[in-house]
Amino acid sequence: MITRTVSYRGRFAPSPSGPLHFGSLVAATGSFLEARTRHGEWLLRMEDVDAPRCSAAAAGEILRTLEVCGFAWDGEVVWQSRRAEAYAAALERLKQAGRVFACACSRKELADSAIAPDGAAIYPGTCRPGLPPGRTARAWRLRVGDARIEFDDAIQGRIASDLGSEAGDFILLRADGLFAYQLAVVVDDGDAGITDVVRGADLLASTARQIFLQQCLGLPTPRYAHLPVAVNAAGEKLSKQTRAAAVDLARPGPTLCAALEFLGQKPPAELRGATVAELWTWAVANWRLDRVPRGPALPGGIIRPGIEPLA
Ligand code: GLU
C-alpha cells in the first residue's frame, strides 16, 4: 500500500487478455500525459483478476510494448491476481455492514432479466431478502437500493446514473470464486491512493457502480476523465475481441503519433519520423486535456499517409 500523499496519482490498468492494441494505447497515452503534465505519478496495474481470460504471456507482451513505446511507470507493477486477500477483506467489511447478500441464482435463472445499458443483466432481486430455502450461495451481490450517483467527468461532462434501474445489485464475488472487476478496481484504486482515473469511455457505464462501491467502503472518489474509445468502421470498439492489430513494436512512433492525433493533439508532420523520446518530449510540452474530443466513441486506428493501418 502506498501511503505518501501526492496531489496527483494516476494509473493505467490493462487487462492482459491479449496484446496491447490501439484502443489501450490511447488510454495509456492519455492517462500518462495527464499524470506527467500534472507533475503526478503514473502507476501500472495488471488487471488479471479474471484469470481464465488472462495470460502471463499477454501480460509480458503488454509490458514489453509499453517499454518499447517509452512509457515509464512509477513503482512496481500491481497484479490483481496477487491481491485476493485485499478483495476478500473488503467483501468481509461489506458483509459486516449488511451491504451485500448471497445469491443462488444461475445464469439460466436470470436469462429473462432486464438488460442494463452495458449489456449486463439487471438483477431481479430474487435472493435479496435472503436465500430461498434449500438453495446455496453461488455469488455475492452488492445492494444498490435506489442509489443515484452523479459525477463530473473532465471530458464527458456531468453524468448521472440511477443504479437500481441501470445496473441493479451487481456481483462482487462470482459463482466461479473469482472477485469481480468492479470490486477489484475500487479496492486497488483505493489502496494505491489514486486521485485521477483517465481511461476509455467504454468504462463510463461502470463508473457509477464504482463510485457507489467506494462510498460503501468509505473510500475517496477519484476525479474521472473518460477518453473517447476508438471504434472500427462497423462502430465496434477496437479490442482483442474485434481482433484489433497489436502495436507494431518495430515502429512504435507512427502508432504513438496516431494515438496523439486521436486524442485531439496535433503533433507536427515532422514528428512522423521522430523517435519515441522526441515524440514524448513534444507530447509532454504540448498535451492539453481540453483538446480531447468529447463523445464516447470515434473512428480510430485511422490510416494516414505514412501511418500503417492498425485495424
Ligand atoms: N482493465 C480495464 C480494461 O483494460 C481498465 C480498467 C480501468 O481502467 O479502470 O479495459
Side-chain angles (χ1 to χ4, degrees):
M1 184 183 307
I2 297 172
T3 48
R4 192 160 63 85
T5 311
V6 291
S7 57
Y8 188 107
R9 185 177 283 136
R11 71 348 177 242
F12 176 55
S15 301
S17 52
L20 197 82
H21 53 83
F22 184 72
S24 323
L25 184 78
V26 164
T29 302
S31 65
F32 178 68
L33 284 171
E34 191 57 12
R36 286 290 171 260
T37 53
R38 303 271 297 270
H39 308 290
E41 293 178 353
W42 189 69
L43 276 43
L44 183 59
R45 178 168 77 229
M46 275 298 161
E47 299 216 310
D48 56 351
V49 68
D50 191 354
R53 292 188 55 230
C54 297
S55 78
E61 230 179 297
I62 289 175
L63 291 175
R64 201 165 103 74
T65 306
L66 290 172
E67 275 165 4
V68 169
C69 289
F71 290 96
W73 53 91
D74 296 297
E76 301 280 316
V77 179
V78 169
W79 297 79
Q80 286 187 329
S81 53
R82 300 174 194 168
R83 288 187 40 79
E85 254 176 59
Y87 308 146
L91 182 62
E92 192 50 40
R93 276 169 55 207
L94 295 166
K95 284 184 190 173
Q96 299 297 332
R99 294 282 200 165
V100 288
F101 62 91
C103 176
C105 299
S106 66
R107 205 173 278 248
K108 210 168 142 206
E109 286 168 314
L110 297 176
D112 297 331
S113 310
I115 300 297
D118 68 351
I122 296 182
Y123 188 62
T126 323
C127 300
R128 196 182 297 136
L131 282 178
R135 300 292 306 265
T136 42
R138 292 164 50 87
W140 282 83
R141 292 178 181 271
L142 185 68
R143 292 176 204 281
V144 302
D146 57 2
R148 179 177 170 81
I149 299 291
E150 294 190 29
F151 64 99
D152 286 307
D153 187 273
I155 297 168
Q156 309 295 340
R158 185 127 188 106
I159 308 282
S161 171
D162 284 308
L163 282 184
S165 59
E166 290 173 35
D169 297 333
F170 55 96
I171 288 195
L172 300 185
L173 181 63
R174 303 174 0 178
D176 61 5
L178 292 172
F179 290 98
Y181 156 73
Q182 307 291 357
L183 179 66
V185 76
V186 164
V187 171
D188 289 344
D189 284 343
D191 279 357
I194 298 299
T195 63
D196 289 77
V197 171
V198 180
R199 61 184 179 188
D202 50 319
L203 289 154
L204 202 51
S206 289
T207 307
R209 268 172 282 178
Q210 292 172 15
I211 293 175
F212 181 65
L213 197 39
Q214 288 153 8
Q215 294 173 352
C216 293
L217 286 165
L219 294 169
T221 291
R223 291 175 289 258
Y224 288 95
H226 284 88
L227 306 165
V229 168
V231 292
N232 64 18
E236 298 161 333
K237 179 189 154 196
L238 297 191
S239 66
K240 295 126 201 173
Q241 287 72 29
T242 56
R243 291 194 232 292
V247 176
D248 180 0
L249 291 188
R251 297 178 65 231
T255 318
L256 270 178
C257 244
L260 287 167
E261 288 184 5
F262 180 82
L263 289 169
Q265 317 299 305
K266 303 215 165 9
E270 312 86 82
L271 279 183
R272 290 274 159 77
T275 64
V276 158
E278 287 165 341
L279 263 171
W280 284 124
T281 303
W282 179 89
V284 170
N286 292 281
W287 168 255
R288 294 251 315 261
L289 188 74
D290 61 0
R291 291 203 180 118
V292 175
R294 189 173 171 169
L298 285 179
I302 297 164
I303 307 160
R304 290 178 199 278
I307 296 182
E308 301 287 316
L310 297 165

